[in-house]
Amino acid sequence: MFALDRFAAMAPQTFICPIVLGPFLVLHRHQDSPIGLLTHRGSTETLLRWAIPFFVSRPILLVLGQLWGQQANLYDIHGGVALLVMTM
């Protein structure tokens, strides 16, 4: 079980637990679960449905901006990572 120790930066249990338990937490059909928030028709749920594209696209656009700035030699990799962390 610990044969991947030299390749992994974390314990295998720490890596596998979110993979196994994550789908159960997401798919749990409760009013306060993420799926429950997307299926109801209240104002909070509507706002959440409108915000999902922003939550998905913003990190992608920030990373692309970081890469563009590094390729244009505006800053080095450390400055790019610092800007990315500050804007996240």
Side-chain angles (χ1 to χ4, degrees), residues 6-64:
R6 58 190 163 154
F7 300 114
M10 67 175 84
Q13 297 91 342
T14 307
F15 175 72
I16 292 173
C17 187
I19 293 172
V20 172
L21 295 179
F24 292 108
L25 292 173
V26 169
L27 297 175
H28 180 66
R29 299 289 262 161
H30 189 266
Q31 183 177 357
D32 296 331
S33 70
I35 297 299
L37 286 175
L38 291 174
T39 57
H40 290 112
R41 296 289 177 203
S43 59
T44 304
E45 294 82 14
T46 303
L47 180 64
L48 181 63
R49 282 192 298 273
W50 278 92
I52 285 176
F54 177 74
F55 293 149
V56 173
S57 64
R58 183 170 184 248
I60 295 169
L61 294 174
L62 288 174
V63 169
L64 290 175

